[in-house]
Amino acid sequence: MNKDDTLLHQKRKASWFLSIIPGIGQIANQQISKGILFLVITSLFAVELCVFGIEALTGLVTLGSVPGEDHSLFMLIEGTLQLILTLIFLMFYIFSVYDFRHTAAMKAAGLKVNTAAKDIIRHAGDKGFPYLFTLPAYLMMVFVIIFPVLVTLFIALTNYDFYHIPPNSLIDWVGFKNFLNIFFVGSYRETFVNVLGWTMIWTICATTLQIILGIVTALFVNQDFIKGRRIFRMIFLFPWAVPAFITIMSFSNIFNDSIGAMNTQVIPLINHLPFVELPAIAWKTDAFWTKTALIMIQTWLGFPYIYVMVTGVLQSIPGELYEAAKIDGASFMQRFRNITLPMILFATAPVMITQYTFNFNNFSIIYLFNEGGPGSAGAGAGSTDILISWIYKLTTGTSPQYAVAAAVTLLISFVVIGISLIAFKKSNAFGNEEVM
């Protein structure tokens, strides 16, 4: 190794050393203002780590050691927050190292390097404007979305339940025991399978029916031969105009087995028809009929939104397309299948998919109509509970199971996200933007 190679090797070692502490390397590159800023950020994090961070991370690992004094849940939350802050600083540290070496490489190549504060700010505003503009949104997303998700994940890995409620009792890490219980332990497994099965049936049936009814009513009202279309449009908007809470509670009374309008007025009226003899139906005491009523009510509540959306799409379709199709001899069904339906799906596919995800977690109608009853599916769930209402009961019952509820919450998230991604990909929902 000659003298030049030795000198180059020493410079590389020096550059590695300078990049260890954020800010030192920037000062060495004569970017004084940037170096001071990086040093200040590093110093603030070091002080925070010494004063609060190390204790918080230790608490996250141990979850306390003295019952009655250590609050395991608070320690878990504080430790999660500190973990996120540490990860953010590590990303900043990596950026600092990259910035130093990139600037050093530019200087070695004889390229101009901004050293004055105003030049650095101007360069950051020109080249890094997209990153600076979106940085607050990303930070907000970290603490509004990622932080709660991490806390939920960590709770699902503990034994947080009725017998382990801090500060009187400590919470302990149990790993994936709660997930294994859901899939393999008798009571939880049977309940999870039953509730998940009904949740899927409820989501598919209720959402599909409200979409079909919304499309049909929109097609009906937008036909030229229909008179009084404004009146029909107002009528079809009534279910949407009335608050869902009031509608659900009203239907809960209407479907009452003994005094509800369905059994005391509607069914007797139907029985006046020839060759029709319907018995009174146990709408709220028989699980099958309760599920049927829930699907019908959600169809009534949900179709006006689809109706309004599809009406806007129908009014934007050029009439020349239908005229050309009629000249070619296309029937009504052929025009609907080849013109109307593709245009509707093209414009509304993402919203249609979100209707399925909404009903998958539609807590209000399930709980307000019959509180998830009648009967029991085990593990605190009623026979008509969906996953989200089961979670509510797991956390508010006489023997709350917070950790199991957190595990079910994560499973719901995985199911909804997975199905939504597949549906978006199969429908090419966002790929349509490139075509437009």
Side-chain angles (χ1 to χ4, degrees), residues 38 59 89 183 218 257 323 340 381 427:
F38 282 20
F89 178 77
F183 288 109
D257 292 357
E323 294 297 332
T340 308
S427 65

Side-chain angles (χ1 to χ4, degrees), residues 180 281 350:
L180 295 176
I281 297 174

Side-chain angles (χ1 to χ4, degrees), residues 359-425:
N359 281 328
F360 192 90
N361 290 319
N362 193 345
F363 169 82
S364 58
I365 184 172
I366 300 298
Y367 191 79
L368 292 176
F369 181 74
N370 204 22
E371 296 185 358
S376 172
S383 57
T384 60
D385 271 318
I386 59 176
L387 289 173
I388 190 68
S389 60
W390 182 35
I391 291 173
Y392 174 78
K393 291 183 176 180
L394 283 173
T395 57
T396 60
T398 56
S399 180
Q401 303 289 325
Y402 300 108
V404 175
V408 177
T409 300
L410 292 172
L411 292 176
I412 289 178
S413 301
F414 294 147
V415 170
V416 171
I417 293 173
I419 293 177
S420 298
L421 289 176
I422 294 173
F424 280 127
K425 184 174 181 60

